[in-house]
Amino acid sequence: MTGPGPEQHSPGPGTPADAGPGPVFLGAQQAAGVVAAKHRGDLAGAETLLAAMGDERAQARSFCLLAELAMALVRAQTGQSMDDLVQELSLLMADAAITGPPTHGDG
């Protein structure tokens, strides 16, 4: 996948609702914060962070980037192809739809 050259990657004004790649990366950081807050049981904090991310479109773009980065991290650690990783993730999601999301004893 190719994108625009570096000259077109401006940092943006810093809010996820604005155009440019910079805000999307800020939004992805906020999305990670939402996930972390939910993981530690801080649902009010997660909702506050989610609301601060902007409208639903900005939230979706932010969570999409977070998912892509997380999958790239897993791929780098496991050596799996992206197709294999997506297939495994799809199976986990199907299982979670039946049995409920997995729980981890780390938090």
Side-chain angles (χ1 to χ4, degrees), residues 17-100:
D18 295 326
V24 177
F25 283 96
L26 173 62
Q29 289 177 319
Q30 291 172 316
V34 170
V35 172
K38 286 181 71 176
H39 185 74
R40 68 175 176 267
D42 182 8
L43 300 181
E47 285 297 322
T48 299
L49 281 171
L50 189 62
M53 291 171 64
D55 63 18
E56 289 178 358
R57 184 168 183 233
Q59 292 170 5
R61 290 179 65 200
S62 298
F63 276 98
C64 184
L65 178 58
L66 176 62
E68 289 181 41
L69 293 172
M71 290 173 68
L73 180 63
V74 171
R75 182 174 166 241
Q77 295 294 317
T78 65
Q80 290 176 279
S81 71
M82 189 58 79
D83 287 340
D84 288 345
L85 183 58
V86 169
Q87 182 178 13
E88 184 177 339
L89 184 58
S90 295
L91 292 171
L92 286 171
M93 287 188 286
D95 185 53
I98 296 168
T99 63

